[in-house]
């Protein structure tokens, strides 16, 4: 019987996904757990809570401090657990977030929320492509990756768009860096904008409408949760609903982008190179809707809900801590000036243009 040489068998073995080893993820999960405990403890201090610094916001701040000081030395032991928290625990936390909502609340966001999300997605991505290629003379892939991350759901959208474009790894890294930088800034900026708007009355937003504005303009799901929580529970709920609608637009966006590439390159060539088979469907967004539907049926005992919501908060805080641990100041240098300028202009558009679009849609259809 024919057998592979030892070195080839070892190489083949390394290409097969290995089962998750709990001993390798425990250190990272323990670290994010300790950061979460510190964040929850600090969030109870009135001086911090009055500033809108929630447990999620504090978790990412503490994570960023540790991530840029002590964490590099511990990364070999903690990296797998931190990655698990940043990816899987975040998705589980978003799924469980559906227990805070009912379809009646989702209906309150309604068609206006869908319209706002669609307008923000199309306008932001189109602006990224035009500015990136015409003004900053960036290549198509970098412009589109930054545009996808800014207009849909941050790093997840960048990673999902990469196989469609067949983009190089360094371009993906640059796009993810811009998303992390400006999305993290939004966590602190949006609660402050809410307070300023309450004083100066720039736009006539209720807490729920400001939540829709947050969900339709902030990059990452976790960042939306943290920013919304820094405003109010009503804003947080509306923000998450609007954001999840936006996330679910990822699949049709990728299909349309694939079709556009196919039209430009030829159907056969694009079918081979644009990664059509690798399109990522955001299943956690669909599960979020299913959990919200289940919660609307009022089947679970009411005594279970507070415990499950507490668990959800812990999971989200651990994900935020992991996001902070992996956010490095060096990302500013790595991204380069032109991609950073493009992402900065998109960030300004999301804030100012997003406020205008939200105000217009609420005025016409609200």
């Amino acid at each position: 019987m024919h057998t592979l040489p030892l070195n080839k068998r070892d190489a083949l073995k390394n290409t097969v996904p290995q089962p998750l080893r709990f001993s390798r993820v425990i250190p990272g999960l323990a670290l994010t757990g300790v950061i979460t405990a510190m964040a929850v403890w600090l969030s109870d201090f009135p001086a911090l809570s009055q500033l809108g610094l929630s447990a999620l916001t504090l978790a990412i701040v503490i994570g960023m401090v540790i991530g840029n000081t002590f964490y590099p030395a511990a990364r070999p032991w903690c990296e797998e657990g931190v990655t698990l928290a940043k990816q899987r625990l975040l998705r589980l936390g978003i799924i469980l977030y559906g227990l805070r909502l009912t379809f009646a609340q989702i209906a309150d966001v309604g068609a206006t929320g869908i319209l706002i999300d669609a307008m923000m997605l199309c306008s932001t991505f189109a602006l990224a492509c035009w500015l990136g290629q015409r003004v900053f003379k960036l290549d198509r892939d970098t412009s589109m990756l930054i545009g996808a991350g800014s207009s849909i759901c941050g790093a997840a959208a960048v990673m999902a768009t990469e196989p469609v474009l067949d983009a190089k790894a360094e371009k993906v890294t640059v796009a993810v860096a811009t998303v992390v930088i400006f999305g993290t800034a939004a966590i602190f900026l949006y609660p402050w904008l809410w307070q300023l708007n309450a004083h100066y009355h720039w736009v006539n937003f209720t807490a729920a409408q400001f939540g829709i504005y947050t969900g339709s303009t902030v990059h990452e799901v976790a960042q939306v949760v943290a920013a919304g929580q820094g405003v109010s529970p009503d804003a947080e709920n509306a923000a998450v609903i609007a954001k999840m609608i936006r996330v679910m637009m990822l699949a049709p966006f990728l299909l349309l982008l694939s079709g556009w590439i196919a039209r430009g390159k030829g159907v056969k060539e694009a079918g081979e190179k644009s990664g059509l088979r690798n399109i990522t469907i955001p299943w956690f967004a669909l599960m979020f809707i299913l959990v919200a539907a289940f919660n609307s049926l009022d089947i679970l005992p009411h005594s279970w809900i507070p415990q499950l919501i507490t668990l959800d908060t812990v999971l989200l805080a651990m994900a935020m801590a992991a996001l902070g641990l992996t956010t490095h100041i060096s990302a500013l240098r790595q991204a380069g000036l032109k991609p950073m300028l493009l992402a900065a202009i998109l960030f300004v558009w999301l804030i100012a243009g997003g406020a205008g679009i939200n105000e217009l849609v609420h005025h016409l259809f609200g």
Side-chain angles (χ1 to χ4, degrees):
M1 184 175 64
H2 179 70
T3 58
L4 289 172
L6 182 60
N7 59 340
K8 290 188 177 181
R9 280 183 288 170
D10 289 341
L12 181 60
K13 180 180 178 181
N14 290 334
T15 65
V16 179
Q18 299 298 309
L20 190 66
R21 294 183 181 180
F22 287 101
S23 62
R24 299 181 66 173
V25 300
I26 286 175
L29 291 178
L31 177 58
T32 58
V34 169
I35 295 173
T36 295
M38 292 174 60
V40 171
W41 177 66
L42 289 172
S43 67
D44 289 333
F45 283 77
L48 295 176
S49 61
Q50 289 172 4
L51 293 174
L53 296 176
S54 65
L56 300 188
T57 306
L58 290 168
I60 193 172
V61 171
I62 298 171
M64 289 176 69
V65 171
I66 296 175
N68 287 278
T69 52
F70 310 109
Y71 178 66
R75 183 183 297 134
W77 298 277
C78 297
E79 186 172 16
E80 290 193 33
V82 169
T83 300
L84 185 145
K86 188 171 68 171
Q87 297 177 354
R88 299 188 188 182
L89 293 191
L90 171 61
R91 283 159 175 74
L92 180 58
I94 293 300
I95 291 170
L96 288 179
Y97 199 96
L99 292 172
R100 305 175 192 237
L101 306 170
T102 64
F103 266 18
Q105 292 171 302
I106 295 176
D108 289 339
V109 173
T112 57
I114 297 173
L115 178 60
I116 289 169
D117 280 341
M119 291 176 68
M120 288 308 304
L121 191 161
C122 295
S123 61
T124 305
F125 187 74
L127 183 62
C129 293
W130 182 76
L131 283 175
Q133 297 178 71
R134 299 291 181 87
V135 177
F136 293 113
K137 306 302 180 183
L138 294 170
D139 60 273
R140 185 204 67 178
D141 290 356
T142 299
S143 302
M144 286 189 172
L145 288 171
I146 294 174
S150 298
S151 62
I152 309 174
C153 54
V158 174
M159 299 304 294
T161 306
E162 179 271 329
V164 176
L165 299 176
D166 194 24
K168 295 181 179 179
E170 57 267 24
K171 298 177 182 179
V172 175
T173 302
V174 167
V176 170
T178 63
V179 163
V180 170
I181 291 165
F182 290 103
T184 301
I187 295 175
F188 307 99
L189 180 61
Y190 275 64
W192 184 55
L193 287 175
W194 167 252
Q195 294 175 4
L196 287 177
N197 187 62
H199 185 269
Y200 291 106
H201 305 288
W202 294 321
V203 288
N204 187 27
F205 282 167
T206 65
Q209 289 172 338
F210 191 87
I212 296 174
Y213 163 59
T214 301
S216 64
T217 55
V218 175
H219 300 67
E220 295 268 4
V221 176
Q223 294 158 354
V224 167
V225 175
Q229 192 177 85
V231 175
S232 73
D234 286 343
E236 183 184 10
N237 290 341
V240 172
I241 295 169
K243 183 60 180 179
M244 299 314 291
I245 292 172
R246 191 171 156 206
V247 169
M248 286 187 285
M249 292 180 177
L250 177 60
F253 164 80
L254 294 174
L255 291 171
L256 289 172
L257 181 61
S258 299
W260 181 84
I261 292 173
R263 184 179 179 182
K265 290 185 176 181
V267 175
K268 182 177 180 180
E269 181 183 357
E272 294 172 351
K273 295 186 178 181
S274 65
L276 292 175
R277 296 181 180 179
N278 296 321
I279 289 178
T280 302
I281 298 174
W283 294 109
F284 72 99
L286 303 180
M287 290 298 295
F288 161 84
I289 297 295
L290 291 177
V291 171
F294 178 77
N295 191 46
S296 301
L297 299 176
D298 200 24
I299 296 175
L300 280 177
H302 290 181
S303 60
W304 291 17
I305 302 298
Q307 284 81 5
L308 290 171
I309 289 177
T310 299
L311 172 63
D312 181 48
T313 300
V314 169
L315 292 173
L316 290 172
M318 290 178 69
M320 294 300 293
L323 184 61
L325 287 169
T326 54
T327 299
H328 305 297
I329 303 300
S330 60
L332 286 167
R333 296 190 297 270
Q334 185 179 21
L337 181 60
K338 288 184 177 180
M340 286 296 297
L341 287 174
L342 173 59
I345 293 174
L346 294 178
F347 186 47
V348 172
W349 164 250
L350 288 167
I351 295 170
I357 287 177
N358 273 262
E359 175 76 359
L360 177 64
V361 172
H362 286 306
H363 177 73
L364 293 177
F365 305 105

